[in-house]
Amino acid sequence: MTTDRRPLLLMTPALLWLTALMVIPCALILVLAFFRRGIYGGIEYTWTLENLALVFDPLYFRIFLKSAGIAGLSAAIACVLGYAAAYAIAAMPRRRQPTLLFFAVLPFWSNYLVRTYAWIVLLNREGLIVNIARWLGYNGELPSMLYTEQTVIVGLVYNYLPFVILACYAPLSRMNPEVTEASRDLGASAWTTFRRITLPMTVPGIATGFVFVFVLSIGNFVTPALLGGGQFQMIGNLVYAQFLTANDWPFGAALSMVLILVMLGLLMAQAVVAERASNGKGQSDG
Amino acid sequence: MTQAFLSIRNVEKYFSAVKAVDDVSLDIRENEFFALLGASGSGKTTLLRMLAGFESLSGGDILIEGSSIANMQPNQRPVNLMFQSYALFPHMTVAQNIAYGLEMEKLPKAEITERVNAILDVIQLSHLAKRKPDQLSGGQRQRVALARALVKRPKVLLLDEPLGALDKKLRSEMQLELKRLQHEFGITFIMVTHDQEEALVMADRIAIMRDGALLQVGSPKDIYELPGSRYAADFIGVMNFLKVKRTDNGFAAPDGTAIATAHVSDGVGEGDAIAAVRPERLFLGDAGDNHFDGTVSDIAYHGLDLLLHVETELSDTPVVARMTADVADNHRPEIGQRITLGWLARDTHIFPA
Amino acid sequence: MADRNTFRLMLLILGLVFAFLYIPISVLVGLSFNEGGLPTAWTGFSVKWYGSLLEDADILKAAGNTLIVAVSSTILATILGTLLAVGVEIRRRNGKWLETIIFAPMIIPDIVLAIALLSMFSLLNIKMGLHTITVSHVVFNLAFVCAVVRARLKSFDWSIVEASADLGASTMITLYRVVIPVLMPAIVAGGLLAFTLSVDEFIIAFFTAGAGRSSITLPMQIFAMIRFGVTPEINALATIVISVSVVALALSQRLNKGGLPGQ
């Protein structure tokens, strides 16, 4: 089979496509980050590290840190909720689990904009929540619910929660029920069993969920743009602005490059966690 | 001391409307190796899980040394279970797996280390203490699971199909190993198995379960030689069943020849009945209390002995007769040959048809 | 017993999570049928907001564009993705880099891919429009089709391919008469998935659409409308978009019992 070239022939069109429209453009970004910005926008083809340095300029680095903070908090909240939901689904009768999982993940496949917009409908000044509060007799000034950092976090958690449920459910459903029973049998309480057996065995799912939510949140630009209001800036918005309004492509490319590096770093960390948890080979005493 | 060590009293278990365990009462002695034997769906595993605390009781009670454990959580019971899948913790080493139960008792670190090392010695796995379960062979995993349960010195060790996952050769080695450990630790073992040979070899006493109820309880010898029912007779070892009829003064074969017997089980009424005899109790010739003629249809060589398959009018399937090689050498029967087989009244059991 | 309480707690958690997931969408769908259009009061069931969508030329144009992009990128992605999946699974031993390239389109942040494509198209002086959106959508769509088809190929009995060859069929005939028909449910499922992804995709379309309104897609139109404010028309449009995704996904799921891809 190894000398057969026909499978490669089948793969060629798709691989060419991915090379031309993913590998090369991404490589281009990496190159672009090291060029100088032209005086009237555009690109001047001289090498520089200025763009990368600018990323670490306090003005922009603060946005980076804030984005990371929001992404981290969103990922953490999504992981807690998602793990609880996945655990609950795994505790239901086996034959019901596929249906529950399907409905938990279904919103994930509907339009991202629409899901974000739904929160505007709920939270805006004439929105449902305000109306409910009025109806309950509350006439005072309500705190602003839209266009805050918290709203952005709610939006991110809402949008990515289904993925965390999916990621956490996989290892939970694969667990042999006899393993937790063994822990109980050996004298551990339900809580100790969860902490020492179930949780460590399912950490890869949580890590996958966390990395995914973090990566998609830190580069997100729709949610901050819609739920954070116009002035709210995250890295995604900053990148967007460099390409579509400020016309500083090299700086935008540099921001993207850092974003890609953060993402790659996290994915590698997650792979390490998964490797460790999958019965850590290489730790044997030989 | 007349009080039983472990007493199962009128225990019942319903899964919605299905009765999984039906009014089971059993007394198990201290240091006994007890086997619950039954086909799948007989309720033996449910009963075992009730002893471990993973299934609640629908009725009845379970007592250890006179006090009830029926309402205790699994982690509070002085009982440990060796799981069928072994259920080793994949993220912990062998030593960590074994130490886990002792940590739950909040024992001092030094004592835990000492006891873990001691039991690793006993199961001869000290050199693998730092391995993870997936780096062990099936037999090694089985011993770790056993050590993990035994190290807690439970009052009762429950074993769910302990040898089921091992290949045949390893299984017979482990049968003896388990018996040795049971003697060495002096702990009561209760084993669930569907393998009658395993139960006969290992257990001091066997309970046969069927449809959630106990069918018969006794020593392996009792159960083998005095089966209480046709099901028990069939389930344990090989048994020939012959069609007989009740007559005024005993039993007779369809052709009218009288069948002498020493064991008539309850429930044998008028008309048809079944006579049972073990293959090794049949011999060539008409010297016994009973005998019949038949045609040899097959001869199977089994090393030390031969199995003859004999077609007769007494049963639909051929009767199996087992003879040692030297007997066979003297009268080497051939396929198609007409022979007479005899047996004794004391080896004949009559069951309802 | 404690078990029963645990079970109740699990039901409570599920109830809360599902409420969190479904209440916002349900409110939106509900409001789209409210005659008054406002959350203040229910003034009666009406489909008039759906009717007013039909009179909005911008929306109709955007919907048409979306359909063009979605259908053509789905067809391309289904062909390329299926061939890729078959090739990869026949080869079995694929290098790590190859697996990464096939997997990357599913996890790469869309903003990164969007600006990368925008940069390339601009530098190459390619005029952007529906065609650039389409070829860009094929990138992630083909990866999803490939994932779905590969999942099916994992349980594929390759001996039927050998049987076909043994009976005298050439490789191409075997592919056409044996492999493709067996894979058909997975291919259609992958195609439906690609279709919904393309219909819903916003960021890459936004960056690769080029200037002007001629190649605006539905999500771009929705984005512009949302920034303008909440209106009953958006509720109606959003409801339609959700329904399309749900129907396509439910069909995909039914065809392909292997479950949702994405992990």
Side-chain angles (χ1 to χ4, degrees):
Chain A
M1 281 294 240
T2 43
T3 52
D4 193 347
R5 293 192 178 277
R6 278 169 297 183
L8 250 134
L9 214 64
L10 295 173
M11 293 157 65
T12 307
L15 290 180
L16 282 178
W17 198 284
L18 290 179
T19 307
L21 288 148
M22 181 181 74
V23 178
I24 291 175
C26 287
L28 191 64
I29 287 290
L30 298 184
V31 177
L32 219 52
F34 294 99
F35 284 131
R36 210 177 286 277
R37 180 197 179 190
I39 302 163
Y40 305 105
I43 300 148
E44 201 175 284
Y45 294 95
T46 45
W47 296 101
T48 177
L49 286 173
E50 274 170 29
N51 302 308
L52 269 181
L54 198 58
V55 173
F56 295 96
D57 180 284
L59 178 67
Y60 297 111
F61 197 63
R62 227 189 39 239
I63 297 178
F64 222 110
L65 286 182
K66 190 172 155 201
S67 306
I70 288 176
L73 196 55
S74 305
I77 295 170
C79 282
V80 171
L81 291 179
Y83 191 87
Y87 192 93
I89 291 174
M92 293 295 130
R94 272 250 164 226
R95 72 207 143 78
R96 299 208 185 282
Q97 291 180 18
T99 314
L100 285 168
L101 199 65
F102 175 76
F103 281 104
V105 179
L106 187 59
F108 190 63
W109 295 99
S110 71
N111 193 299
Y112 187 95
L113 286 169
V114 167
R115 279 180 287 153
T116 308
Y117 167 70
W119 283 92
I120 302 180
V121 173
L122 274 185
L123 298 178
N124 77 65
R125 259 174 298 135
E126 287 304 318
L128 193 77
I129 303 272
V130 174
N131 278 305
I132 288 174
R134 293 274 143 75
W135 184 73
L136 289 171
Y138 183 83
N139 285 315
E141 193 62 25
L142 283 159
S144 169
M145 283 184 291
L146 215 46
Y147 312 134
T148 64
E149 201 173 301
Q150 286 81 355
T151 324
V152 174
I153 291 170
V154 168
L156 292 171
V157 171
Y158 179 73
N159 276 309
Y160 297 130
L161 180 61
F163 181 85
V164 182
I165 296 176
L166 201 61
C168 292
Y169 174 79
L172 278 168
S173 69
R174 270 200 304 270
M175 271 189 73
N176 173 1
E178 287 197 342
V179 171
T180 46
E181 283 182 357
S183 167
R184 299 280 281 142
D185 185 69
L186 292 167
S189 66
W191 171 245
T192 307
T193 299
F194 175 75
R195 195 172 50 81
R196 292 203 46 186
I197 306 298
T198 311
L199 199 57
M201 284 177 71
T202 50
V203 147
I206 303 174
T208 305
F210 186 94
V211 168
F212 181 88
V213 179
F214 187 91
V215 166
L216 289 180
S217 296
I218 197 172
N220 202 297
F221 111 94
V222 169
T223 303
L226 294 181
L227 296 181
Q231 61 283 53
F232 192 88
Q233 285 242 309
M234 278 175 65
I235 286 297
N237 311 75
L238 202 57
V239 172
Y240 165 86
Q242 302 317 310
F243 277 88
L244 294 186
T245 52
N247 224 359
D248 187 349
W249 288 21
F251 180 49
L255 286 169
S256 307
M257 193 175 90
V258 176
L259 210 54
I260 293 173
L261 290 178
V262 169
M263 185 187 91
L264 286 179
L266 280 169
L267 286 174
M268 271 153 75
Q270 179 232 339
V272 169
V273 169
E275 180 73 18
R276 275 239 190 102
S278 75
N279 317 322
K281 292 180 177 64
Q283 285 189 21
S284 72
D285 56 353
Chain B
M1 282 283 282
T2 50
Q3 189 191 49
F5 178 69
L6 172 76
S7 186
I8 298 169
R9 293 190 184 159
N10 306 104
V11 163
E12 289 183 317
K13 179 67 186 179
Y14 287 92
F15 291 114
S16 46
V18 182
K19 202 169 207 175
V21 174
D22 184 1
D23 193 23
V24 168
S25 292
L26 256 182
D27 283 335
I28 291 166
R29 299 173 204 127
E30 190 161 9
N31 298 342
E32 190 168 26
F33 198 136
F34 196 91
L36 291 167
L37 175 63
S40 64
S42 62
K44 58 188 195 303
T45 302
T46 307
L47 186 60
L48 193 79
R49 288 174 61 81
M50 287 159 97
L51 291 171
F54 294 115
E55 300 290 354
S56 60
L57 277 67
S58 306
D61 202 357
I62 299 171
L63 301 99
I64 291 185
E65 292 177 320
S67 48
S68 171
I69 61 162
N71 291 317
M72 285 165 86
Q73 289 289 315
N75 52 333
Q76 291 155 345
R77 297 190 182 200
V79 165
N80 285 112
L81 171 58
M82 193 184 124
F83 289 82
Q84 186 175 7
S85 69
Y86 309 145
L88 297 178
F89 306 131
H91 58 301
M92 296 183 189
T93 63
V94 166
Q96 285 167 340
N97 262 283
I98 298 173
Y100 187 84
L102 299 176
E103 287 166 19
M104 294 305 135
E105 294 176 28
K106 307 234 171 353
L107 295 177
K109 271 229 153 58
E111 188 187 342
I112 293 177
T113 315
E114 188 189 323
R115 276 170 69 174
V116 170
N117 288 339
I119 202 146
L120 277 170
D121 247 12
V122 172
I123 60 163
Q124 296 160 10
L125 287 181
S126 302
H127 59 296
L128 300 177
K130 292 204 173 72
R131 291 268 179 102
K132 296 256 174 112
D134 72 334
Q135 299 165 318
L136 302 179
S137 70
Q140 289 166 341
R141 274 202 283 268
Q142 196 251 15
R143 279 187 281 166
V144 174
L146 184 65
R148 189 176 69 174
L150 270 181
V151 77
K152 282 181 70 85
R153 296 176 192 151
K155 291 210 160 94
V156 179
L157 181 73
L158 308 171
L159 304 102
D160 187 2
E161 301 276 3
L163 306 175
L166 303 180
D167 63 47
K168 199 175 172 188
K169 188 164 179 296
L170 205 52
R171 202 149 55 206
S172 47
E173 276 173 41
M174 284 310 293
Q175 285 177 354
L176 298 175
E177 176 83 359
L178 270 179
K179 266 192 92 113
R180 177 180 75 82
L181 287 168
Q182 195 251 342
H183 280 294
E184 205 168 310
F185 279 77
I187 288 173
T188 306
F189 275 31
I190 302 178
M191 168 177 83
V192 150
T193 181
H194 67 275
D195 183 338
Q196 45 97 16
E197 193 189 317
E198 207 168 284
L200 290 176
V201 171
M202 295 165 79
D204 298 324
R205 278 198 304 153
I206 298 172
I208 301 178
M209 288 189 75
R210 187 193 187 189
D211 295 335
L214 286 185
L215 211 56
Q216 188 175 1
V217 182
S219 69
K221 188 170 186 312
D222 287 349
I223 292 216
Y224 188 78
E225 294 186 356
L226 296 169
S229 60
R230 186 182 169 182
Y231 181 84
D234 195 18
F235 195 69
I236 305 282
V238 181
M239 186 67 99
N240 293 304
F241 295 102
L242 311 172
K243 287 183 280 194
V244 294
K245 273 192 167 52
R246 183 134 213 173
T247 58
D248 294 338
N249 42 10
F251 295 90
D255 64 0
T257 335
I259 303 273
T261 177
H263 316 282
V264 180
S265 87
D266 295 341
V268 176
E270 295 300 313
D272 291 343
I274 297 285
V277 58
R278 298 263 180 219
E280 66 272 24
R281 299 299 183 188
L282 292 168
F283 44 79
L284 288 167
D286 55 3
D289 303 315
N290 303 312
H291 53 86
F292 62 80
D293 296 338
T295 310
V296 176
S297 64
D298 203 357
I299 302 172
Y301 175 70
H302 280 260
L304 269 182
D305 44 36
L306 286 179
L307 293 184
L308 295 184
H309 292 246
V310 183
E311 276 173 10
T312 76
E313 284 168 6
L314 282 78
S315 67
D316 297 333
T317 53
V319 166
V320 181
R322 181 161 148 185
M323 32 217 61
T324 53
D326 52 330
V327 171
D329 279 345
N330 291 339
H331 314 254
R332 168 140 289 183
E334 278 166 39
I335 291 177
Q337 192 183 331
R338 204 99 187 126
I339 57 167
T340 302
L341 289 170
W343 76 98
L344 302 176
R346 64 158 207 252
D347 296 326
T348 312
H349 309 264
I350 304 284
F351 300 114
Chain C
M1 274 196 66
D3 268 3
R4 180 148 292 170
N5 287 332
T6 316
F7 191 74
R8 286 204 186 121
L9 177 69
M10 294 299 137
L11 282 180
L12 179 71
I13 290 173
L14 276 185
L16 289 175
V17 169
F18 275 92
F20 177 64
L21 287 176
Y22 281 93
I23 283 177
I25 296 177
S26 312
V27 168
L28 182 80
V29 172
L31 282 179
S32 75
F33 293 108
N34 187 4
E35 161 133 65
L38 293 173
T40 342
W42 180 258
T43 52
F45 180 87
S46 161
V47 290
K48 74 174 193 195
W49 305 115
Y50 291 86
S52 66
L53 288 179
L54 290 176
E55 287 154 21
D56 189 323
D58 286 346
I59 290 177
L60 290 181
K61 168 86 175 140
N65 284 344
T66 295
L67 216 56
I68 293 170
V69 169
V71 169
S72 34
S73 77
T74 297
I75 292 170
L76 277 168
T78 306
I79 295 168
L80 294 177
T82 303
L83 292 179
L84 178 64
V86 174
V88 166
E89 285 302 311
I90 292 177
R91 271 185 95 217
R92 295 272 168 82
R93 290 193 56 81
N94 297 295
K96 212 165 186 171
W97 67 271
L98 184 67
E99 292 289 351
T100 311
I101 284 188
I102 297 171
F103 185 60
M106 297 198 280
I107 54 158
I108 197 164
D110 35 17
I111 184 114
V112 172
L113 190 56
I115 56 157
L117 286 162
L118 168 67
S119 311
M120 186 180 76
F121 291 143
S122 314
L123 291 176
L124 294 178
N125 277 322
I126 293 174
K127 188 171 166 15
M128 287 183 277
L130 290 183
H131 56 286
T132 40
I133 303 178
T134 304
V135 296
S136 305
H137 276 191
V138 171
V139 172
F140 58 85
N141 274 347
L142 83 82
F144 277 94
V145 173
C146 177
V148 174
V149 176
R150 277 184 84 179
R152 174 69 186 83
L153 279 170
K154 295 276 183 226
S155 59
F156 184 78
D157 177 10
W158 287 99
S159 64
I160 64 172
V161 172
E162 286 164 8
S164 168
D166 181 64
L167 295 168
S170 70
T171 308
M172 271 305 146
I173 290 178
T174 300
L175 192 65
Y176 179 68
R177 299 253 331 243
V178 177
V179 179
I180 302 282
V182 172
L183 293 180
M184 212 50 193
I187 294 171
V188 176
L192 282 166
L193 193 66
F195 182 78
T196 58
L197 287 169
S198 184
V199 165
D200 289 339
E201 205 288 322
F202 165 60
I203 294 170
I204 291 171
F206 188 69
F207 278 81
T208 57
R213 293 193 47 84
S214 61
S215 50
I216 201 165
T217 65
L218 207 50
M220 290 160 72
Q221 175 71 21
I222 294 175
F223 184 72
M225 288 165 75
I226 295 173
R227 296 198 102 173
F228 201 65
V230 175
T231 67
E233 284 91 352
I234 309 181
N235 296 343
L237 187 55
T239 302
I240 294 174
V241 170
I242 292 174
S243 311
V244 170
S245 313
V246 168
V247 169
L249 194 70
L251 274 177
S252 164
Q253 177 85 351
R254 167 149 287 200
L255 281 168
N256 191 40
K257 296 214 168 91
L260 299 170
Q263 50 174 87

